[in-house]
């Protein structure tokens, strides 16, 4: 009613001027909001699911309850797989970050065709379908007796984590002045001391970002993990896979919620910290 | 460029870059031992030495199953690509139009599928799409019973499109953002209708981003394993499932090797081809780690 009244009161010429030269049509906002809902829907729906006491995957929830969380934190199978995932992801991230950072620093100093080729080779897992890697790794690891072992999981996940470290450390090195290395050396520092006192602090954010992504990649990896699993050792994504295929186990909603919320926090916190740090500069 | 004294010793260092290769070596060893050797072994297995035969490759084309599954995979990938384009283009367009605050919000939303856990995401789609789920109930409420996009290609398409949308939207956003909108206003000023101005001026300039995004989405959708396994039906399996099945159930390692090499080579060729349309592939890594558009 009020909209009609104000439209009548206002002369049409003025409204047109208010609209600007190049307005955004309303339908574009509608489409944008619908697409945004589509993008975030799966992440959001697991949260209400996890507070339901039902025995199936029914949505919307009918019986509010914390039973899925109680089950998750008391079932040795779920807890064990969570522990395995943390262990594998931590070790794989450590390994990938160490070798990936070294490689990024080395490749930053190297030029030529061979260096470019090696960089592509190290990045290859990012474009190779996970299933192709999983099948090849599975068959070779069978011969090497690495299937179902902690070592097997760690090296496989570390290898696919290397590209993330390489990319983020390389981009951090973009603003790094190589003359600092010689300055440090000329002042008598060993290469290792130079790395710890000069290089590492300057590229710390790239290293941390790479380590986080290597951790999350391993923690969430399911295809290779499905092939490397054994009754004795499996990670949480594999247990989640079992809970929708072999058994209908709604405990998955609790684990899915925990993963979604913790990964979101891990990724958002550095971003927010960066935004806060940047804000004073923008304000001037 | 000033000839800084500190710059001078650099040339002598260039002649012996051994120390830097030592830094790269551990990563080369890790990736070679864990990825390249197994991939090489499956290549060797596929030609079955010492008989050195191409029989396993030939049988991919003659066994009647592989070609059918390959075709189905390509069709599914094409549908996903078109859907991602139709949904992603207006969204990327909107991103270039709004203010900085709304734009960073829209960008964060685009990146959400990246960090939604694979299993959480697929579980969520099962819940949403299954019989008796919200989608089914919604269409029943509208008086259209029997809409269950679960256990068939439509469910797989819905779930795959959602997670691949960032790979469409981000290249599009960088292309659309670099188009000068005053060209559109000029076209309008010269008497063109909004639609004609878009079609004749804006769309041709945006085609590079469209091609880049579509190549990326198509290539990535060829390798999906978990989503078709959980949301599709076993009767309509895709190539990744066939590969897994040959390995773990049929223990046909040579056949799996040949199929794996075929998928790998196809993917790498598509990637190399896509790279010529503006280097989008290394952008996957950049996008995934920095959350912004790639620079290379």
């Amino acid at each position: 009613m009020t909209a009609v009244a104000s439209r009548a009161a206002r002369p049409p010429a003025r409204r047109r001027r208010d609209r600007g030269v190049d307005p955004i049509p309303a339908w574009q906002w509608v489409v944008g909001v619908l697409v945004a809902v589509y993008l975030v829907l799966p992440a959001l729906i697991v949260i209400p699911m996890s507070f339901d006491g039902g025995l199936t995957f029914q949505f919307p929830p009918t019986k509010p309850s914390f039973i899925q969380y109680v089950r998750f934190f008391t079932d040795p199978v779920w807890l064990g797989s969570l522990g395995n995932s943390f262990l594998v992801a931590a070790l794989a991230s450590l390994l990938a970050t160490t070798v990936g950072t070294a490689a990024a620093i080395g490749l930053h100093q190297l030029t030529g065709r061979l260096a470019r080729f090696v960089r592509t080779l190290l990045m290859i897992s990012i474009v190779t379908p996970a299933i192709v890697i999983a099948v090849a790794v599975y068959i070779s690891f069978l011969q090497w007796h690495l299937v179902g072992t902690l070592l097997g999981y760690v090296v496989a996940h570390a290898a696919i984590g290397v590209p993330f470290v390489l990319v983020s450390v390389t981009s951090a090195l973009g603003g790094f002045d190589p003359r600092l290395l010689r300055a440090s050396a000329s002042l008598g520092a060993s290469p290792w001391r130079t790395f710890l006192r000069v290089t590492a602090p300057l590229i710390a954010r790239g290293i941390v970002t790479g380590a986080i992504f290597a951790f999350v990649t391993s923690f969430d990896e399911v295809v290779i993990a499905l092939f490397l699993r054994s009754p004795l050792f499996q990670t949480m994504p594999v247990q989640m896979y079992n809970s929708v295929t072999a058994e209908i186990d709604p405990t998955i909603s609790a684990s899915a919620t925990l993963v979604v919320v913790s990964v979101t926090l891990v990724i958002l916190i550095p971003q927010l910290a960066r935004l806060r740090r940047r804000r004073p500069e923008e304000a001037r | 460029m000033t000839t800084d004294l500190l710059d001078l010793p650099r040339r002598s260092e260039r002649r012996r870059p051994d120390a830097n290769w030592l830094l790269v070596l551990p990563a080369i060893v890790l990736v070679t031992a864990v990825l390249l050797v197994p991939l090489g072994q499956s290549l060797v297995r596929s030609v079955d030495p010492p008989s050195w035969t191409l029989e396993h490759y030939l049988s991919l084309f003659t066994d009647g199953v592989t070609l059918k599954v390959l075709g189905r995979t390509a069709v599914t990938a094409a549908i996903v690509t078109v859907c991602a384009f139709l949904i992603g283009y207006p969204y990327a367009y909107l991103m270039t139009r709004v203010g900085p605050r709304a734009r960073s919000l829209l960008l964060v939303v685009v990146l959400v599928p990246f960090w939604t856990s694979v299993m959480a995401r697929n579980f969520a789609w099962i819940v949403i799409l299954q019989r008796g789920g919200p989608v089914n109930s919604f269409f029943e409420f509208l008086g259209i019973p029997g809409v269950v996009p679960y256990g068939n290609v439509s469910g797989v398409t819905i779930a795959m499109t959602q997670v691949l949308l960032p790979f469409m939207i981000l290249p599009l956003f960088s292309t659309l953002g670099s188009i000068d909108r005053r060209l559109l206003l000029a076209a309008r000023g010269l008497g063109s209708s909004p639609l004609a101005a878009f079609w004749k001026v804006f769309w041709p300039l945006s085609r590079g981003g469209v091609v880049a995004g579509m190549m990326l989405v198509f290539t990535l959708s060829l390798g999906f394993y978990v989503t078709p396994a959980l949301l599709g039906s076993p009767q309509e399996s895709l190539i990744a499932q066939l590969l897994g099945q040959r390995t773990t159930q049929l223990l046909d390692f040579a056949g799996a090797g040949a199929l794996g090499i075929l998928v790998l080579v196809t993917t790498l060729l598509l990637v190399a081809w896509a790279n010529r349309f503006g280097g989008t592939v290394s952008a996957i890594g950049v996008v995934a780690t920095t959350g912004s558009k790639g620079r290379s």
Side-chain angles (χ1 to χ4, degrees), chain B residues 57-82:
Chain B
Y57 287 91
L58 289 178
S59 69
L60 292 181
F61 298 97
T62 52
D63 65 4
V65 179
T66 313
L67 270 190
K68 214 164 90 185
V69 175
L70 266 178
R72 189 186 296 136
T73 308
V75 169
T76 308
I79 296 174
V80 168
T81 307
V82 171

Side-chain angles (χ1 to χ4, degrees), chain B residues 280-296:
Chain B
T280 44
V281 170
S282 57
I284 306 175
V286 178
V287 160
T289 48
T290 61
S292 56
K293 66 192 164 81
R295 279 162 297 166
S296 55

Side-chain angles (χ1 to χ4, degrees), chain A residues 22 38-39 57 140 213, chain B residues 41 97 130 158 162 181 288:
Chain A
D22 194 12
Y38 178 48
L39 288 167
F57 298 154
S140 294
F213 274 91
Chain B
Q41 282 187 331
R97 297 295 322 278
Q130 67 184 341
I158 292 171
Q162 187 256 355
R181 284 196 62 80

